[in-house]
């Protein structure tokens, strides 16, 4: 007679409602942090402390500076220069974002859309307002000269702005995949550096030759991208090698939730609220975006700080990986020593027995 067999029952009890409430609270916190990280810099973005040159005789330049301070307090950090050539040099060296020239007649404006399209638009608006203040009866057209323009194939700089996120994600994906697929600290570091080179060549080629978003020397642009990827990947790899999954999550959170929103690649670091722009330039996404603009449009001017920041992150990541490797070898050596250690010799009394 066959004995009926009852199907196995799920003996696990449902989670407590307190655990459900905790999960909901954690998810709410996460989505709030994500929204704050990405929306706050955009919503609070404004013109403040933008380096600007004013060209003209001292009395005229002083009047323009005073007018700017009255109309837009704390918006510009003004440098007064005597001639147009000096202002143009400052723009090409990335010391200022543009200039207002009052050396002859109505204000003229020099911009550098390649440095920041939003700042260039703001400068044109300011110059127009100054010209109307001088001739309120009419609406004089302000002469605008783009000293360092964006490429004709991408006049809004959309490609460079859109490339900021893949630049960060490249380093994070490299760290995550190498951690899960490759064993050995040395092999992971080698893989990250190799990917930084190939990824830099690929991304620069797409942005420069296909989308037309970059000018300048291709290899210099590829090097800027590669250094940014290496800085992100090695740092996250180093944190993961020391702290495990917690290190991987912490590194990803810093790069995505702080580094990417505070990079200022699509606008300008000076347009971000408070201290966020300065902080972003100390992290790989912000330093990498600044370096890529310098190599692509400004012949490498004002690249030293970004190179220093990225190199420091690469060295930090490599050092963390090295420390982890030394620790792993130490633990392995201790285990082997304990395994092959000879057993204690029997005492004379035990041997006699």
């Amino acid at each position: 007679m066959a004995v009926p067999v009852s199907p196995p029952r799920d003996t696990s009890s449902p989670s407590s409602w307190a655990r459900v409430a905790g999960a909901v609270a954690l998810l709410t916190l996460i989505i709030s942090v994500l929204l704050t990280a990405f929306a706050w810099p955009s919503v609070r973005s404004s013109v403040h402390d933008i380096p600007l040159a004013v060209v003209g005789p001292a009395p005229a330049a002083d009047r323009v500076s005073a007018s700017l301070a009255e109309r837009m307090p704390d918006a510009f950090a003004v440098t007064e220069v005597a001639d147009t050539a000096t202002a143009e040099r400052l723009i090409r060296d990335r010391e200022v974002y543009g200039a207002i020239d009052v050396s002859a007649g109505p204000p003229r404006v020099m911009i550098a859309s390649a440095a920041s399209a939003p700042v260039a638009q703001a400068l044109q608006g300011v110059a127009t307002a100054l010209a109307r203040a001088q001739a309120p009866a009419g609406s004089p057209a302000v002469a605008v000269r783009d000293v360092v323009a964006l490429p004709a194939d991408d006049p809004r700089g959309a490609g460079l702005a859109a490339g900021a996120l893949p630049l960060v994600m490249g380093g994070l994906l490299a760290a995550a995949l190498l951690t899960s697929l490759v064993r050995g600290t040395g092999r992971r570091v080698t893989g990250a550096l190799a990917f930084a080179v190939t990824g830099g060549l690929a991304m620069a080629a797409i942005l420069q030759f296909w989308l037309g978003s970059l000018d300048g020397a291709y290899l210099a642009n590829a090097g800027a991208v590669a250094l940014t990827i290496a800085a992100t990947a090695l740092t996250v790899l180093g944190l993961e090698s020391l702290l495990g999954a917690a290190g991987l999550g912490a590194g990803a959170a810093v790069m995505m939730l702080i580094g990417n929103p505070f990079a200022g690649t699509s606008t300008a670091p000076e347009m971000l609220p408070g201290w966020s722009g300065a902080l972003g330039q100390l992290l790989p996404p912000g330093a990498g975006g600044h370096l890529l603009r310098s190599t692509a449009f400004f012949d490498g001017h004002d690249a030293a700080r970004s190179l220093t920041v990225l190199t420091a992150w690469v060295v930090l990541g490599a050092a963390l990986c090295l420390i982890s490797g030394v620790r792993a070898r130490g633990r392995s050596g201790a285990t082997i020593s304990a395994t092959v250690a000879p057993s204690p010799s029997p005492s004379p009394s035990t041997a006699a027995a």
Side-chain angles (χ1 to χ4, degrees):
M1 179 178 179
V3 178
V5 179
S6 60
R9 293 180 300 172
D10 186 6
T11 58
S12 61
S13 59
S15 299
S16 66
W17 287 111
R19 190 176 184 85
V20 175
V24 171
L26 178 61
L27 290 170
T28 304
L29 176 63
I30 291 173
I31 197 171
S32 299
V33 170
L34 287 172
L35 178 62
T36 301
F38 285 92
W40 176 63
S42 300
V43 172
R44 293 289 183 261
S45 178
S46 63
V47 177
H48 61 86
D49 295 326
I50 298 292
L52 174 70
V54 175
V55 185
D62 289 343
R63 285 195 297 271
V64 172
S65 299
S67 179
L68 290 174
E70 180 181 355
R71 291 171 177 271
M72 303 176 68
D74 302 322
F76 299 101
V78 175
T79 299
E80 296 185 6
V81 297
D83 54 81
T84 303
T86 301
E88 184 173 333
R89 179 185 59 78
L90 292 177
I91 293 173
R92 294 188 183 278
D93 289 348
R94 298 200 73 181
E95 295 185 32
V96 298
Y97 280 88
I100 296 177
D101 188 351
V102 291
S103 59
R108 295 171 294 170
V109 61
M110 291 185 288
I111 61 174
S113 59
S116 172
V119 171
Q121 293 176 353
L123 288 178
Q124 293 182 64
V126 168
T128 299
L130 290 174
R132 288 176 178 172
Q134 291 185 5
S139 298
V142 177
V144 178
R145 182 160 68 94
D146 200 340
V147 177
V148 186
L150 285 164
D153 291 339
D154 188 9
R156 295 180 295 113
L160 186 59
L165 182 59
L167 198 61
V168 180
M169 290 299 299
L172 296 180
L173 288 174
L177 287 177
L178 289 170
T179 297
S180 60
L181 299 179
V182 177
R183 287 181 296 178
T185 302
R187 285 170 171 77
R188 289 177 179 176
V189 171
T190 302
L193 293 176
F195 167 69
V197 173
T198 59
L201 292 170
M203 288 188 65
I206 292 171
L207 287 172
Q208 187 157 355
F209 301 130
W210 181 22
L211 301 179
S213 299
L214 299 178
D215 286 335
Y218 164 66
L219 290 180
N221 296 334
V225 176
L227 187 57
T228 306
I229 293 175
T232 303
L234 286 181
T235 301
V236 178
L237 272 179
L239 290 172
E240 191 280 335
S241 64
L242 285 179
L243 305 175
L248 184 65
V254 169
M255 298 302 174
M256 282 296 298
L257 300 183
I258 300 177
N260 188 58
F262 294 172
T265 304
S266 59
T267 55
E270 292 84 359
M271 294 188 70
L272 297 178
W275 42 262
S276 59
L279 175 61
Q281 294 305 298
L282 297 177
L283 295 171
H290 187 91
L291 177 61
L292 186 56
R293 280 191 188 274
S294 292
T295 58
F297 304 114
F298 295 91
D299 296 325
H301 289 295
D302 196 33
R305 182 184 60 183
S306 298
L307 282 171
T308 302
V309 169
L310 292 172
T311 302
W313 283 103
V314 169
V315 172
L316 173 63
L320 293 177
C321 291
L322 178 61
I323 293 171
S324 175
V326 170
R327 282 185 178 180
R329 284 193 295 271
R331 288 193 297 265
S332 177
T335 302
I336 293 174
S337 299
T339 303
V340 303
S343 58
S345 301
S347 61
S349 59
T350 304

